[in-house]
Amino acid sequence: MGSEVVATVSPTRQAFRRVRRDRSARLGAVLVIVLIVIAAAAPLLARLEGQDAYTYNISLLDPLRGNAPSGAVGGVSADHWFGVEPLTGRDLFAITVLGLRTSLFIAVLVTLITTVVGTLVGISAAYFGGWYDAVVSRLLDFLFGFPQLVFMIALGIIVPAGFPRSLLLVLVLSVFGWAGLARLIRNQAKSLVTREFVEAARSVGSSGWHVITRELLPNLLGPVLVIATMAVPGFIGLEAALSFLGVGVPPPTPSLGRSISDSIVWVYTGTDPWFLVFPGAMLFLAVLGFTLLGDGVRDGFDVRLRRAN
């Protein structure tokens, strides 16, 4: 009886059970949930501290040290939990939590867009084949061979300053971000389009959209979830890197990448090394959480890894 019950459990449910039993995945999930809560409640947390990320507090800086924060540990106090930013005296706690909000918003939105586009393009290319598949393949080759980072930096420089930088980042990262998932899904979907259940759906007159969404997509859910989960830390890091290079989210909007970029000179001179600690730690935890969760999802859904174990 027990074996019959196990046999009736779908592979997807079995995979999710393995993910839930994975300690690293659970730790990653906890980190992700905590960080999402912090990002969602960032304005409330800043108000709870009694500060904001935009008010300059020049009186908290020491002119004799190049306008570095006065006091120990970067100006940490009961009023400023993470200290203050050099040169401006803005509250670093508010900058950090709101910067996390910015990074997560961009990364999650880009992941949603690229996942939907990449999945639909990959499945449709495998299903319809012919000239459409050939065009998609050439487009993917072009996107993989294109110098994406150079283009992003150049575009960030030439686009008018009035254009919202967060929207620009989402658009640019989305344009280039869907190609990897599309190629993977296309290759896996090609092995499914000739299976009996697809032929049966075609024989009863089901539309292409019905076959793609009701027959092929459920069987590709595992790879889609794995790639989507693993993509989030990549987009977080890329957004931070672009902000680090000065073409990301502009000031005074808080950004973890720009805070880390601004902190380099203070760390290098030894004037205020604490300026790097809190934004760097928040970025590290965000990447770590999604990476651990993504590894767990991959291990749970990867048939080859399960057979090896």
Side-chain angles (χ1 to χ4, degrees), residues 49 54 67 81 97 119-120 131 201 208-209 225 240 309:
E49 186 200 23
Y54 306 99
N67 283 329
W81 299 344
V97 295
T119 300
L120 292 179
W131 67 267
W209 178 253
L225 288 177
N309 293 332

Side-chain angles (χ1 to χ4, degrees), residues 49-62 66-70 74-77 79-95 266 272 275:
E49 186 200 23
Q51 307 294 336
D52 63 74
Y54 306 99
T55 300
Y56 284 39
N57 297 291
I58 306 300
S59 61
L60 301 176
L61 305 177
D62 185 355
N67 283 329
S70 302
V76 171
S77 66
D79 294 325
H80 301 279
W81 299 344
F82 288 180
V84 296
E85 183 182 55
L87 297 181
T88 66
R90 295 189 302 165
D91 183 75
L92 190 54
F93 174 80
I95 291 175
W266 299 93
D272 183 28
F275 185 23

Side-chain angles (χ1 to χ4, degrees), residues 218-238:
N219 288 279
L220 295 167
L221 180 61
V224 171
L225 288 177
V226 171
I227 296 299
T229 309
M230 296 295 291
V232 176
F235 287 128
I236 290 175
L238 189 53

